[in-house]
Amino acid sequence: MQGEIKTSKKPVIFSGIQPSGRLTVGNYIGSLRNFKLLEDNYNSLYCVVDMHAITVRQDPTELRRNISELAALYLAVGLDPNKNILYCQSHVPAHAELAWVLNCFTYMGELQRMTQYKDKSAKHVDNINAGLFTYPVLMAADILLYQTDVVPVGADQKQHLEIARDIAVRFNNIYGDVLVVPEPYIPKLGAKILSLKDPLRKMSKSDPEDTFIGMLDSPDMIRKKMKRAVTDSDARIKYDPENKPGVSNLMSILSILTGRGIDAIEADYAGKGYGVLKAEAAEACIEALAPIQAEHKRWMADQAELNRVLKDGAERASRIAARTMAKVRKKVGLAPLF
Ligand code: ATP
Ligand code: LTN
């Protein structure tokens, strides 16, 4: 059996990604890539948040497939299942249990202010369900269950992190120091990769195919999508996110994936057209994704081993979660367990 996460004193990281479609380079740059970079200095839990995914309607067969694909991607980016706890949210019922308790410490007004709720309810007018509304409370439970210190996420999740902190502080003010108040970890560059078709919106895996580069896209697909990315008409390669969001987005992707600074990119591409920038951004994606795609294929071909990793992860996560739940039950006054 693998070691317990709390035996060493490293701070705890928790993060989750929804298995709501095929992951994009936005997900990679804003979150997955950082998981790997942070691996050695933290005790980390990375979760496939399948219960969050059902807040919008999902095809069950497709959802199951997306869960496997996402778990395989965690492993394919190099996360070591011995150093990190990799598991599925619905395998640890304590997430739902704590979410219920925290629902009773969260105000309707706070949830009504959430921009993700506003966006998603505008997008799914025929299914504005209570789960979509209380989504941030389940996310707070995910995080607080493990006494998490740091949560690596993209910029779009900042507001959800703030509500998780507010809930923890509120709970502690009533019951004493029960829950650790988590800090967000949002990368300086790449926290918001933009849609290829509408560079005023974030790139999102549940948007139409031509708006994103998928982590599993073939080289041809990547080249084709990049070629059609929306830029602007003045043809100057300059990093100016406000006035030139499309071009700046491609420059950010190129910079992060190649390690070249934005200034160097600006200098190298002075006087060149957008076609060259798009072609090089495409090649940078292809090169960064190729080893991940190869590993992903290997893991997908070994579902038995993938399931073994997830089962082991869920068992280890459950043991940590049980400690927080025992404290919470006692503090709140729920019926003692026999
Ligand atoms: P959905 O479209 O289903 O809402 P999504 O593509 O927005 O999904 P999530 O599962 O919500 O992806 O996000 C997983 C992680 O990736 C989160 O930490 C989120 O902040 C980050 N992320 C998502 N999109 C981007 C993006 N365009 N740029 C940077 N980070 C991103
Ligand atoms: N809400 C996040 C996914 C998510 C998450 C979490 C991220 C669910 N639980 C806990 C960090 C920590 C999203 O939509 N990207």
Side-chain angles (χ1 to χ4, degrees):
M1 195 185 59
Q2 284 145 342
E4 279 276 347
I5 204 161
K6 281 277 184 173
T7 48
S8 68
K9 289 241 162 17
K10 289 180 184 173
V12 175
I13 278 192
F14 181 96
S15 198
I17 299 183
Q18 299 184 73
S20 49
R22 294 162 35 224
L23 261 66
T24 72
V25 285
N27 297 126
Y28 178 58
I29 291 174
S31 69
L32 257 185
R33 185 174 168 273
N34 304 317
F35 296 176
K36 177 64 189 161
L37 299 176
L38 296 166
E39 179 179 72
D40 287 330
N41 299 322
Y42 295 86
N43 284 325
S44 312
L45 297 106
Y46 294 115
C47 185
V48 175
V49 291
D50 53 349
M51 294 198 295
H52 275 110
I54 61 166
T55 54
V56 304
R57 212 54 85 219
Q58 302 283 346
D59 173 80
T61 309
E62 220 170 277
L63 179 58
R64 261 188 295 274
R65 163 106 197 149
N66 286 337
I67 291 169
S68 273
E69 290 231 322
L70 176 53
L73 267 179
Y74 279 163
L75 291 156
V77 297
L79 291 175
D80 179 343
N82 295 313
K83 285 193 199 161
N84 305 278
I85 295 182
L86 308 177
Y87 74 106
C88 243
Q89 186 185 38
S90 68
H91 286 168
V92 180
H95 287 250
E97 214 180 335
L98 183 59
W100 178 260
V101 175
L102 299 182
N103 264 323
C104 305
F105 293 84
T106 308
Y107 300 114
M108 301 287 283
E110 287 179 298
L111 295 173
Q112 261 148 359
R113 285 197 293 275
M114 295 291 114
T115 53
Q116 184 169 309
Y117 169 67
K118 290 188 214 162
D119 291 350
K120 295 239 160 147
S121 45
K123 211 163 154 185
H124 304 276
V125 276
D126 52 339
N127 183 21
I128 306 177
N129 61 72
L132 198 59
F133 188 62
T134 60
Y135 177 113
V137 185
L138 178 58
M139 176 162 164
D142 296 342
I143 297 166
L144 302 177
L145 203 46
Y146 300 98
Q147 308 291 357
T148 301
D149 298 289
V150 181
V151 184
V153 279
D156 62 307
Q157 294 303 310
K158 191 164 180 268
Q159 203 184 26
H160 285 165
L161 243 291
E162 274 156 18
I163 198 173
R165 287 170 56 87
D166 291 346
I167 295 170
V169 169
R170 186 171 306 142
F171 196 90
N172 288 347
N173 281 341
I174 304 172
Y175 299 110
D177 271 347
V178 182
L179 303 169
V180 169
V181 181
E183 295 288 337
Y185 173 95
I186 297 174
K188 280 206 178 70
L189 194 62
K192 190 176 176 187
I193 299 297
L194 304 171
S195 158
L196 297 180
K197 287 289 172 188
D198 178 2
L200 294 177
R201 290 161 48 102
K202 86 166 179 118
M203 183 180 281
S204 178
K205 62 173 128 66
S206 43
D207 278 349
E209 178 69 41
D210 59 346
T211 63
F212 64 82
I213 304 281
M215 286 188 71
L216 301 176
D217 280 355
S218 69
D220 276 356
M221 260 160 109
I222 295 176
R223 289 190 190 106
K224 208 183 278 168
K225 286 180 183 177
M226 272 292 185
K227 215 178 250 175
R228 296 188 188 147
V230 168
T231 45
D232 55 45
S233 54
D234 90 358
R236 269 182 327 127
I237 297 182
K238 189 169 168 356
Y239 188 75
D240 179 356
E242 201 136 296
N243 301 307
K244 296 169 75 66
V247 177
S248 305
N249 190 40
L250 300 184
M251 292 172 80
S252 299
I253 295 174
L254 183 60
S255 167
I256 293 160
L257 297 183
T258 59
R260 281 154 75 192
I262 292 285
D263 289 350
I265 292 175
E266 238 173 32
D268 288 352
Y269 289 84
K272 293 183 184 157
Y274 290 158
V276 185
L277 175 66
K278 288 178 173 181
E280 296 219 5
E283 292 317 307
C285 290
I286 293 166
E287 207 168 297
L289 296 174
I292 299 173
Q293 293 181 351
E295 270 299 284
H296 183 262
K297 199 167 166 197
R298 204 176 62 73
W299 277 103
M300 286 303 281
D302 193 352
Q303 290 290 314
E305 181 58 12
L306 191 59
N307 289 336
R308 198 202 57 75
V309 167
L310 293 179
K311 183 164 183 280
D312 179 67
E315 282 166 7
R316 291 156 71 204
S318 295
R319 282 197 291 276
I320 304 167
R323 292 204 285 267
T324 303
M325 267 325 290
K327 273 193 210 163
V328 168
R329 293 180 70 90
K330 191 163 175 212
K331 292 286 184 184
V332 172
L334 294 176
L337 291 173
F338 302 109

